[in-house]
C-alpha cells in the first residue's frame, strides 16, 4: 500500500486556501515542538459568525500541508460553532487516512483552527469555555 492516500497527495501537491488574510478576524498559530512544524490559520468571520474565508500558511511536512488544506475546506462557509467541533480524526478521515506517525500533523490543523477561533472570541469579547481550547495529547 502506498504510504499516502490519493487525497493526501492531492491536497499536498495542490493545496487549497493557501495564503494570508489581511485584517483577519481571527489568527491562530501553533507548532509541534518535536518536529518543528508550524501552522498558521487566518479566519474571516461575518456578523452571523459564519466563516466566510479561511487561509493557511504551513511550514511543515506533506501531511501537515494536506491536513491544513483539507481542514480549511471543511470549515469554509460554516458557522464558528461547527468549526469548533472539527476534530483531527475528521480531517484524517477526509484525507482517507494518514500513517500513524503522521497523525500529529492533523492534530496541528485542529489546534490551529481552534487557536484562530479563540483569537476571534478574544478580540470580540465573546465568552467561551476554556475547556474547549485545551491542548490535545495523542499517542503515537
Ligand atoms: Fe510534524 Fe508533520 S511531521 S506536523
Amino acid at each position: 500500500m502506498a504510504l499516502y492516500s490519493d487525497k493526501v497527495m492531492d491536497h499536498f501537491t495542490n493545496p487549497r486556501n493557501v495564503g494570508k488574510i489581511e485584517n483577519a478576524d481571527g489568527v491562530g498559530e501553533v507548532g509541534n515542538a518535536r518536529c518543528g512544524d508550524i501552522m498558521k490559520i487566518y479566519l474571516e468571520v461575518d456578523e452571523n459568525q459564519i466563516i466566510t474565508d479561511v487561509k493557511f500558511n504551513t511550514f511543515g511536512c506533506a501531511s501537515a500541508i494536506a491536513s491544513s488544506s483539507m481542514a480549511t475546506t471543511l470549515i469554509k462557509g460554516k458557522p464558528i460553532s461547527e468549526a469548533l467541533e472539527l476534530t483531527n480524526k475528521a480531517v484524517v478521515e477526509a484525507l482517507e487516512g494518514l500513517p500513524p506517525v503522521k497523525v500529529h500533523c492533523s492534530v496541528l490543523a485542529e489546534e490551529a483552527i481552534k487557536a484562530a477561533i479563540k483569537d476571534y472570541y478574544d478580540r470580540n469579547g465573546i465568552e467561551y469555555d476554556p475547556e474547549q481550547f485545551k491542548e490535545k495529547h495523542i499517542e503515537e
Side-chain angles (χ1 to χ4, degrees):
M1 204 187 96
L3 188 57
Y4 293 114
S5 70
D6 289 346
K7 274 263 160 71
V8 173
M9 290 311 293
D10 175 29
H11 279 264
F12 169 54
T13 53
N14 178 27
R16 324 308 195 257
N17 305 312
V18 176
K20 179 179 178 180
I21 298 176
E22 297 296 339
N23 304 316
D25 298 303
V27 181
E29 183 173 332
V30 294
N32 182 296
R34 256 203 287 168
C35 64
D37 290 357
I38 295 171
M39 199 178 283
K40 199 162 178 177
I41 296 266
Y42 301 85
L43 298 176
E44 185 184 273
V45 183
D46 74 5
E47 65 283 1
N48 298 316
Q49 295 203 3
I50 304 289
I51 298 170
T52 46
D53 200 8
V54 48
K55 295 257 187 278
F56 80 90
N57 260 313
T58 292
F59 301 93
C61 70
S63 302
I65 290 166
S67 293
S68 22
S69 169
M70 180 57 87
T72 58
T73 66
L74 292 173
I75 64 164
K76 196 167 175 175
K78 300 276 167 58
I80 285 275
S81 55
E82 237 176 88
L84 256 183
E85 280 169 17
L86 181 76
T87 60
N88 77 294
K89 198 166 168 273
V91 174
V92 173
E93 276 168 16
L95 286 172
E96 293 170 356
L98 279 176
V101 293
K102 291 291 180 180
V103 169
H104 77 268
C105 316
S106 65
V107 173
L108 220 48
E110 179 188 325
E111 288 179 346
I113 288 171
K114 289 213 169 112
I117 293 174
K118 186 171 178 294
D119 182 47
Y120 165 75
Y121 282 166
D122 287 339
R123 290 186 197 201
N124 291 281
I126 299 169
E127 283 190 25
Y128 54 82
D129 177 4
E131 283 290 313
Q132 280 181 300
F133 298 101
K134 273 213 166 147
E135 262 187 45
K136 208 164 167 166
H137 294 284
I138 51 155
E139 304 284 323
E140 274 186 354

